[in-house]
Amino acid sequence: MQIFEDIPTERPATELLDAIREPADLRALPSRQLAPLADELREFLLWSLGRTGGHFGAGLGVIELTLVLHYIYNTPDDALVWDVGHQSYPHKILTGRREAMQTLRQQDGLAGFPKRAESLHDAFGTGHSSTSISAALGMGLIRPETRPVAVIGDGALTAGMAYEALCHAGALPVNLMVVLNDNRMSISRNIGAMSNYLSRLWAHPIYTGARRTSMRLLSRFPRLMRFFQRTETQVKGMMVPNTLFEELGFKYIGPVDGHNIKLMLSILGHLRRDEGPHLFHVVTRKGAGYRPAEDDPIRFHAIAKTVPKQRRQPREPARRYQDVFGDWLCARAECDERIHAITPAMTEGSGLVGYRERFPERFHDVAIAEQHALTLAAGMACGGARPVVAIYSTFLQRAYDQLIHDIALQDLSVLLALDRAGLVGEDGPTHNGAFDLSYLRCIPNIAVATPSSAAELERLLDVCLDWPHPAAVRYPRGAVDPDLENAEAEPDQPAEVGRARCVHRGSENWALLGFGTLLHAGLPAVRALGGSAYDMRFVAPLDARLIERLGRSGAPLVTLEENTLAGGAGSAVVEHLGARGFSNPVLRLGIPERFIDHASQGGMRAACGLDAPSIERAIGEWLVRCGS
């Protein structure tokens, strides 16, 4: 494997790679050319990501595995399903999208995850974790003549859904291959001559044939059959990491060096012809081939675009909303020992690194287990703690039943800190927090706060933590804009659950009701068109007194939110007015009722008509139609 210290700045020469238009071209190569092809693919991926940015370490770690899978399996007839999809960039390059990699995660360009509409080789769209085994099993059941493959990482295997799929698949006569891509360093000691030898042995046709023959003969003697199975499992258990997968009904092979092309070709070549469900355990290095990423895989999980060193200008790192949350939580935990922080594998992304270091006994990273995270919080609340669950808005969708049944129904004091609310940018529709206002405000007992700034985020977190009921505070991805923080009007208005604040006192001819940070994009329209503006602060409960006062005035109202229009904050205002007999004209501005494709955050907002010029234009035209 060629090792790189720097990201190439010039497009590398890739003679072998340039000849690969689709996996069929790859399969036409002699196997000895796969190693030099891996070097070319790694260098091209480094150069490409240096120009576009993107998820970095995972793709570098699976280059050899990707080549071998496409070489052995008849893709796309044999479906190849990449769990989460962070590691799918080499797959994209080998499946006809090499030159389009320059558009990765850009508007109208390639998606950052597998996407069915993008290629026949993207068998299943992903972005959230732990779905690959279920999807590949479904494909295998419908098309039993094929050999579907699910590639799942050790992180994604922490989620319960993966085990549900394993339990189901292990009981079926389906030719499913699950590739466990294990890039945890703690298991590297198991890679060695004995492990590789055993993997070859258990995959070899002589062993598998003898095993089938033995099983057929022993099927007439149930006691001997059970003894043979127990003995085989126990012998393997003495020499491999665990026997869980064997107990679930899978033939387990591994662990195997996931960068050893020759070894993987030998094993998978045998296994593809074997019947039944298999689990092939490979150990890889995240960021393999790029020294800085190997040394610091967390930092290099994803990168922004790179520029030549001589052009870099030092600058103060911008404070992000997750940093505001993390600092607030540390300050509150210093004064309140009842506070416990819970996160489903989002420590860095949620701004909890500092909290973890200062309060390790009150920090709980439950891995990719959103359902467990919420019920764990419910149990803590029953025990007298004040749990705070830091979770991305889009990932809370995976724990909706637990939120309703385990928290809200029992009216437990659990605080949800919803990061990445609204439009998130390059990660696109799988990560947009576009639905939380709609699916949260319909739940009884819960308060749903929409802070409009960093200062408001701290205020509303305080209020919701002290509220003796469930609460959710949602805030966007990205950096805090200091200009907006300094421009806050009347910031001293005390925060209270279900109470709005006025941020611009103009005429009462019309009013803007803003929910969240998008409020600031609407203020230029308010100033230009002579209205008043309110920071609503809460979607649930709404400020009933304010809305009824505005309802009595009959003035046109504009609601502004970074959430889908279907069932969102604007819908809540319309419902409240209608229930009390008011008929104010209402213009609802928000995310259209469709999935919004990847682009920059600004590009997404402009595409949805949620940038300041579009908002002002829409309001102005609407007011003319209203006669105001």
Side-chain angles (χ1 to χ4, degrees):
M1 180 191 303
Q2 188 175 353
I3 303 295
F4 299 89
E5 299 288 346
D6 293 305
I7 295 176
T9 57
E10 300 294 331
R11 192 195 190 284
T14 53
E15 181 180 353
L16 285 172
L17 182 62
D18 293 346
I20 305 298
R21 298 180 303 276
E22 59 180 358
D25 299 325
L26 171 67
R27 292 190 282 271
L29 294 176
S31 60
R32 66 177 182 276
Q33 290 192 311
L34 293 188
L37 177 59
D39 287 338
E40 289 188 4
L41 179 53
R42 180 167 281 108
E43 189 172 9
F44 179 87
L45 182 59
L46 279 167
W47 170 78
S48 177
L49 291 179
R51 294 167 62 88
T52 65
H55 298 105
F56 194 74
L60 291 172
V62 297
I63 282 177
E64 291 82 7
L65 175 62
T66 304
L67 287 170
V68 169
L69 288 173
H70 277 297
Y71 196 82
I72 294 295
Y73 286 88
N74 187 32
T75 57
D77 289 339
D78 291 335
L80 183 52
V81 182
W82 297 93
D83 207 287
V84 184
H86 291 152
Q87 73 275 51
S88 66
Y89 296 170
H91 161 82
K92 287 176 181 277
I93 294 169
L94 294 171
T95 53
R97 289 166 279 181
R98 182 179 64 255
E99 299 307 320
M101 287 295 289
Q102 304 310 302
T103 70
L104 185 70
R105 306 202 313 161
Q106 299 171 24
Q107 192 163 1
D108 300 322
L110 291 183
F113 301 96
K115 186 176 182 180
R116 279 171 52 83
E118 197 174 280
S119 171
L120 287 174
H121 291 275
D122 287 1
F124 196 73
T126 52
H128 289 189
S129 83
S130 314
T131 61
S132 61
I133 304 174
S134 298
L137 174 60
M139 297 171 189
L141 289 173
I142 296 303
R143 299 183 62 204
E145 72 280 6
T146 65
R147 302 276 176 154
V149 180
V151 184
I152 186 168
D154 54 299
L157 204 63
T158 62
M161 182 178 178
Y163 290 94
E164 293 173 14
L166 288 170
C167 286
H168 185 201
L172 298 173
V174 62
N175 296 319
L176 171 68
M177 170 59 73
V178 176
V179 178
L180 170 55
N181 174 32
D182 186 345
N183 51 36
R184 294 182 60 187
M185 299 304 293
S186 61
I187 202 166
S188 61
R189 68 175 66 93
N190 293 312
I191 297 297
M194 178 57 74
S195 177
N196 288 341
Y197 169 76
L198 290 174
S199 296
R200 285 195 187 97
L201 172 64
W202 292 329
H204 199 278
I206 293 176
Y207 170 80
T208 56
R211 186 179 187 276
R212 282 196 298 270
T213 301
S214 299
M215 289 295 187
R216 188 164 55 249
L217 293 173
L218 290 172
S219 63
R220 289 173 288 179
F221 307 98
R223 290 185 179 180
L224 284 175
M225 169 78 86
R226 288 194 294 272
F227 174 78
F228 174 83
Q229 290 173 327
R230 284 198 304 270
T231 302
E232 180 190 43
T233 298
Q234 288 166 0
V235 169
K236 284 187 177 182
M238 289 187 291
M239 292 178 281
V240 298
N242 64 65
T243 58
L244 169 64
F245 304 111
E246 295 274 358
E247 295 294 334
L248 292 174
F250 280 75
K251 182 186 293 183
Y252 170 88
I253 306 295
V256 168
D257 183 354
H259 303 292
N260 187 327
I261 291 175
K262 185 177 180 180
L263 177 62
M264 289 191 292
L265 285 174
S266 172
I267 294 172
L268 284 175
H270 294 315
L271 293 181
R272 189 183 182 278
R273 297 188 292 271
D274 200 20
E275 299 295 314
H278 295 76
L279 189 135
F280 182 49
H281 182 176
V282 300
V283 177
T284 62
R285 296 191 307 279
K286 210 167 187 179
Y290 181 57
R291 187 79 66 193
E294 289 188 17
D295 294 340
D296 192 350
I298 294 177
R299 178 186 171 200
F300 284 92
H301 169 69
I303 62 167
K305 299 178 185 179
T306 62
V307 294
K309 291 180 179 179
Q310 63 269 23
R311 293 176 54 194
R312 291 179 182 167
Q313 298 295 326
R315 61 181 180 179
E316 190 73 22
R319 195 176 188 219
R320 302 164 301 173
Y321 281 98
Q322 62 259 42
D323 300 327
V324 175
F325 163 72
D327 292 344
W328 167 85
L329 188 60
C330 285
R332 287 298 303 256
E334 194 73 57
C335 305
D336 189 345
E337 293 187 351
R338 298 175 300 162
I339 291 175
H340 284 249
I342 302 168
T343 182
M346 289 289 129
T347 302
E348 289 79 15
S350 294
L352 289 176
V353 173
Y355 183 95
R356 178 184 61 191
E357 293 172 352
R358 291 177 60 182
F359 309 101
E361 73 285 354
R362 289 188 275 148
F363 173 75
H364 313 275
D365 186 337
V366 301
I368 303 175
E370 296 88 355
Q371 296 173 326
H372 167 58
L374 264 66
T375 304
L376 175 69
M380 288 182 170
C382 289
R386 299 306 300 270
V388 178
V389 181
I391 187 170
Y392 289 6
S393 168
T394 185
F395 296 151
L396 181 61
Q397 296 164 184
R398 300 171 67 118
Y400 195 54
D401 177 68
Q402 286 69 27
L403 175 57
I404 294 175
H405 182 272
D406 299 338
I407 294 176
L409 181 61
Q410 302 183 88
D411 199 18
L412 296 173
S413 183
V414 173
L415 174 60
L416 304 175
L418 302 189
D419 198 350
R420 273 60 167 184
L423 300 168
V424 299
E426 292 83 356
D427 282 343
T430 61
H431 283 61
N432 287 331
F435 307 105
D436 53 66
L437 297 185
S438 301
Y439 70 68
L440 287 174
R441 76 174 185 86
C442 62
I443 301 174
N445 296 331
I446 193 169
V448 183
T450 59
S452 60
S453 65
E456 276 291 288
L457 174 57
E458 292 174 328
R459 293 187 192 110
L460 298 187
L461 283 168
D462 274 333
V463 168
C464 289
L465 182 66
D466 295 335
W467 204 51
H469 307 283
V473 181
R474 55 115 65 177
Y475 46 95
R477 176 190 185 189
V480 174
D481 187 337
D483 293 335
L484 297 184
E485 300 303 312
N486 297 332
E488 277 201 326
E490 304 186 48
D492 58 338
Q493 296 179 63
E496 181 183 346
V497 172
R499 289 290 176 265
R501 63 175 186 141
C502 181
V503 294
H504 184 83
R505 296 186 184 276
S507 75
E508 292 294 323
N509 292 332
W510 70 280
L512 174 71
L513 309 182
F515 297 85
T517 56
L518 205 58
L519 165 72
H520 298 283
L523 289 179
V526 175
R527 298 186 184 103
L529 301 172
S532 294
Y534 297 89
D535 179 357
M536 295 303 293
R537 281 180 164 164
F538 286 87
V539 172
L542 284 170
D543 189 334
R545 289 183 299 186
L546 171 63
I547 291 178
E548 289 169 21
R549 178 174 69 79
L550 294 172
R552 286 190 292 271
S553 74
L557 304 177
V558 178
T559 63
L560 183 58
E561 62 189 299
E562 199 164 335
N563 186 84
T564 183
L565 289 170
S571 296
V573 170
V574 171
E575 291 165 8
H576 195 91
L577 290 169
R580 286 150 184 81
F582 299 119
S583 56
N584 305 56
V586 179
L587 173 64
R588 298 180 301 127
L589 298 177
I591 299 174
E593 296 171 22
R594 65 174 188 271
F595 292 108
I596 308 302
D597 281 336
H598 56 278
S600 66
Q601 277 185 296
M604 279 185 161
R605 288 171 183 144
C608 295
L610 296 177
D611 58 319
S614 299
I615 291 169
E616 183 173 342
R617 182 168 56 252
I619 294 175
E621 293 173 353
W622 180 74
L623 288 175
V624 169
R625 293 197 298 272
C626 290
S628 298

